[in-house]
Amino acid sequence: MHVTLSQALLITLWAFIIGIDQFNGLFHIHRPLVTGLIIGLILGDLQTGLITGATLELIAMGMVPLAGAQPPNMVIGGIIGVSFAIISKLPPQAAVALAIPFAVAAQGCVTLIFTAFSPLMHKADQWADECNTKAIAWLNYFGLLTHGSFFALITFLPIYFGAAYAQQVVGAIPTWILGGLSVAGGMMPAIGFAMLLKIMLKKEYVAFLIIGFLLMTYFHISILGLAGIGAAIALYDFYANKNKEANNKKAKKEMHSGGI
């Protein structure tokens, strides 16, 4: 598939927007699932965009930054993975395997940018002491512009200038290597979920994990149906806990009133 300049610029604009959203906007439009939708619309293959974006989302769900440990940047990984899947007609799993190296390299560059900006924190403290809000505002805007521009640049170059070469390279790759990439890419969502469960799983929730496994394995329920059941359980748990907290507060208030 040939990528036109207008398509490359639209994807670059999206990269600029979600590059800002990842750390500053936090509307979560930077998630690979949303990126798959947008890039699928831009490149005219919505189905591949959604499937690849959803596959990358399963990986990104488990890649949570903890303290100083920064996982691969799945914002860039999502853009590159979805774009190359559509441009080079790759299966989603193989596109995922190709996206991870870009995600790792991009996070290294982001860390360097943050390191370069760190001395400006002292300047910001000085301006705060001086109540120079205008200078602090411009410093924040400069940070947003720098971060968004980096994401735009690192997206435009491989997608517009490298798309044709990517197709040639993919065409020259032996089938057995592409098969290996597909297997590796298919394993990554499982790794992402394992990382997520390591953080979130509690013994109280193991029963729901087993129920979901049984429904999928033995009753062959669709993923959408399983998601609906999960949403219903989550809503019940949320409102049950909310009512429990309200009753506890009411009981404490009555006890306090009785004691007085």
Side-chain angles (χ1 to χ4, degrees):
M1 173 185 175
H2 173 69
V3 179
T4 65
L5 178 60
S6 59
Q7 288 175 322
L9 289 175
L10 285 173
I11 296 174
T12 301
L13 176 61
W14 177 249
F16 179 84
I17 294 170
I18 63 177
I20 293 175
D21 180 72
Q22 183 185 11
F23 293 105
N24 301 280
L26 298 179
F27 290 105
H28 288 278
I29 58 173
H30 63 273
R31 305 297 302 184
L33 186 60
V34 183
T35 289
L37 169 66
I38 300 300
I39 295 182
L41 289 172
I42 293 173
L43 296 180
D45 191 345
L46 183 59
Q47 181 177 356
T48 302
L50 285 173
I51 293 173
T52 308
T55 305
L56 286 162
E57 183 68 32
L58 296 177
I59 303 170
M61 288 172 64
M63 292 186 174
V64 181
L66 298 172
Q70 294 294 323
N73 192 295
M74 292 308 295
V75 177
I76 291 295
I79 296 172
I80 298 299
V82 173
S83 299
F84 277 18
I86 296 174
I87 293 169
S88 302
K89 304 298 181 183
L90 285 173
Q93 293 83 358
V96 167
L98 290 176
I100 296 301
F102 282 94
V104 173
Q107 186 55 49
C109 294
V110 169
T111 302
L112 287 176
I113 292 174
F114 285 172
T115 303
F117 266 78
S118 58
L120 294 177
M121 293 301 298
H122 301 293
K123 197 66 178 176
D125 290 337
Q126 177 188 333
W127 288 334
D129 291 335
E130 298 171 354
C131 296
N132 190 348
T133 56
K134 186 175 181 180
I136 294 175
W138 278 109
L139 179 62
N140 283 312
Y141 292 142
F142 178 68
L144 295 178
L145 181 62
T146 302
H147 202 195
S149 299
F150 165 73
F151 274 64
L153 180 64
I154 205 171
T155 296
F156 180 78
L157 293 178
I159 288 180
Y160 186 65
F161 292 105
Y165 298 106
Q167 287 180 278
Q168 295 176 9
V169 171
V170 169
I173 295 176
T175 305
W176 63 272
I177 293 182
L178 285 177
L181 289 175
S182 296
V183 172
M187 293 170 61
M188 288 180 187
I191 295 172
F193 261 95
M195 294 169 64
L196 190 65
L197 288 174
K198 186 177 180 180
I199 299 170
M200 296 181 60
L201 186 62
K202 297 180 180 180
K203 60 183 180 181
E204 295 88 348
Y205 300 146
V206 171
F208 297 112
L209 178 64
I210 295 173
I211 290 172
F213 174 77
L214 292 175
L215 288 174
M216 287 290 293
T217 305
Y218 295 101
F219 294 93
H220 306 291
I221 188 171
S222 68
I223 190 68
L224 186 60
L226 187 64
I229 294 173
I233 294 173
L235 284 171
Y236 173 80
D237 185 66
F238 173 77
Y239 285 111
N241 288 331
K242 193 174 182 180
N243 291 333
K244 185 178 179 181
E245 289 177 5
N247 292 333
N248 288 338
K249 288 181 180 179
K250 184 178 179 181
K252 288 180 180 179
K253 187 176 181 180
E254 291 176 352
M255 186 181 298
H256 182 68
S257 300
I260 293 176

